[in-house]
Amino acid sequence: MSILKQGEFVGSLDCGTTSVRFIIFDQYANIVSQHQSEFPQYYPNPGWHEHDPEEIQEISEQCITQACVKLEEAGWAKESVKVIGITNQRETTVAWSRTTGKPLCKAIVWTDSRTKNTVAHFEHLLATTGIEVEPGQFKTGEEGVEALRDITGLKLSTYFSGIKLRWMVDNYSKVQKAHHEDDLLFGTIESWVVYNFTGGVHGGIHVGEVTNASRTLLLNLHKLSWDERLLAFFGFRRSILPKLVSSSEVYGHLSHGPLKGVPIGGLIGDQQGALVGNKCLRQGEAKCTYGTGAFLLFCTGKDIVNSSHGLLSTVAYQPGPGAAPVYALEGSIGVAGSAIKWLRDSMGFIKSASEINTLAASVPDSGGVFFVTAFSGLLAPYWDPGAAGLLIGLSSYTTPAHIARATMEATAFQTRAVLESMKLDSRAKLEHLKVDGGMTNGDVCMEILADIGGFDVVRPDMKESTALGSALLAGSAIRLFGWDISKPATLAEVNTQGSRTFKPHMPEGDREKGFTTWLRAVERSKGWDEGVYE
């Protein structure tokens, strides 16, 4: 038996919406070993989307174990992994028992739209009673909406964790009882997996990282602290919330498994992770990740930029405990790759996701078909939870190929709509868009994006940007390889592989006509299933 080599590597656990992967990187961001597994999705009612938190934890542990097996098969000792980072699907909400460490119900996924009536309730509360901004001073109506956005950077939506948690407390007796008896622990996915990896009910730590916390409607974006005014408005105990931590520090150590004793040094929401992984660390740099949904982040540096055109203000990352945070503007698109999954699993148009490229390329255009993929309402820049999915322009001429192409075009049209808003808010025109994520593997999709957007699309050869982001933060926490996330120059040798640029070729007149028609289709999809104040 040969002696295993000792090296220095950093691991990243990427807990996505449909799968988990564990990737082991070297100092140049080359992948040394990896393992990925999907986990079950639950859709018990229309608009509902759930995960089993224990299944996510089990799959996460399996991925680490299998990646370590592959690492040793490649000749490297597992002790070569010096630190790990964790990145996760954001907003997905987990409620578990302080006493047992077990989930009290299934997790409500970020795409879930069951909470429309909960949103309507708090919209009514804002309009009438308002939100307390100073002791005894309430702001109501539009002033209340602006006050909430000023504190959080967000707006009331089914999208955010605080609304999902409120629905759990109101509708699940176990969660309600745990909240009443102070037995409830709340967290997003990074909070749940760190709790379990550090011991669970036997001494596990209950922490929440700031980029994830900034998606809850409970965080003061300016102070990076839980806000008592928000807790009072939504009706939560302070004790259910995790301790807030930065994106890069040693939080604890793995309590079990092949990497037992290895520090956890980086935590970040997946979209912010992709921003860091693409090294968009300076003001004015942007990226868009195309996965289950699509998320465009524009780094605004140390400044919080309040959008007046439907975008969100969010934390991009905090480079260490007590360090000044970096902020971003975000345009969130709820459905991107999941529409392709729908064509495959629900409609049977394709047998694998990659086949959509061939099918879409078999026709020169969508044949007049437009697809508003509002499966769970519309996010940025429209923010209409009552919008419904809409296929319009169908005729006897329409084939599955036209619908496949319209599905790809839908993501491109929504990207352009977000970029138009970003241009108005930042007063800067984006000359090129850096992209990553599963959808970007197809050249046809990238060509469509460039044509509809009217800008260059830059696709890096190293596409695991999300996982790399948490790896960089983890390495930075222990200064592995001399990395320091607050000093971008220390990352100069990381991820220097090449890229491919897709340029627009569509005539400007055709581009504008298509976008105008898309906007007409969006208007027809709006308000189909309004939330009701109860």
Side-chain angles (χ1 to χ4, degrees), residues 24 174 397:
I24 300 172
K174 285 185 179 180
Y397 173 74

Side-chain angles (χ1 to χ4, degrees), residues 200-322:
V201 73
H202 304 293
I205 59 174
H206 184 214
V207 296
E209 183 270 337
V210 290
T211 66
N212 285 287
S214 74
R215 318 295 293 185
T216 62
L217 280 170
L218 303 175
L219 184 84
N220 186 311
L221 198 62
H222 305 266
K223 298 178 180 179
L224 293 196
S225 62
W226 300 122
D227 196 294
E228 294 296 335
R229 296 168 295 179
L230 300 172
L231 293 175
F233 180 71
F234 290 108
F236 294 131
R237 288 175 175 266
R238 173 69 178 79
S239 57
I240 70 174
L241 300 175
K243 174 190 173 185
L244 289 167
V245 292
S246 76
S247 311
S248 182
E249 61 182 277
V250 174
Y251 317 97
H253 296 75
L254 295 171
S255 65
H256 56 280
L259 297 181
K260 181 179 178 179
V262 170
I264 303 170
L267 297 174
I268 194 163
D270 54 6
Q271 303 313 319
Q272 285 91 335
L275 192 76
V276 173
N278 275 307
K279 298 194 290 187
C280 296
L281 304 174
R282 299 180 180 88
Q283 185 173 355
E285 296 180 322
K287 68 87 203 178
C288 193
T289 300
Y290 294 91
T292 300
F295 302 87
L296 200 152
L297 269 74
F298 180 92
C299 185
T300 61
K302 306 296 183 185
D303 299 323
I304 298 173
V305 176
N306 289 317
S307 171
S308 54
H309 299 93
L311 305 181
L312 304 173
S313 304
T314 196
V315 180
Y317 61 94
Q318 186 185 18

Side-chain angles (χ1 to χ4, degrees), residues 37-38 48 56 95 100 168 179 191 201 221 228 231 291 303 318-319 333 341 361 364 447 450 470 499 508 533:
S37 293
E38 292 189 351
W48 292 36
I56 291 176
T100 68
M168 288 177 169
H179 187 254
S191 183
V201 73
L221 198 62
E228 294 296 335
L231 293 175
D303 299 323
Q318 186 185 18
I333 299 166
K341 189 171 183 289
E447 290 162 0
S470 75
S499 61
E508 183 67 19
Y533 164 62

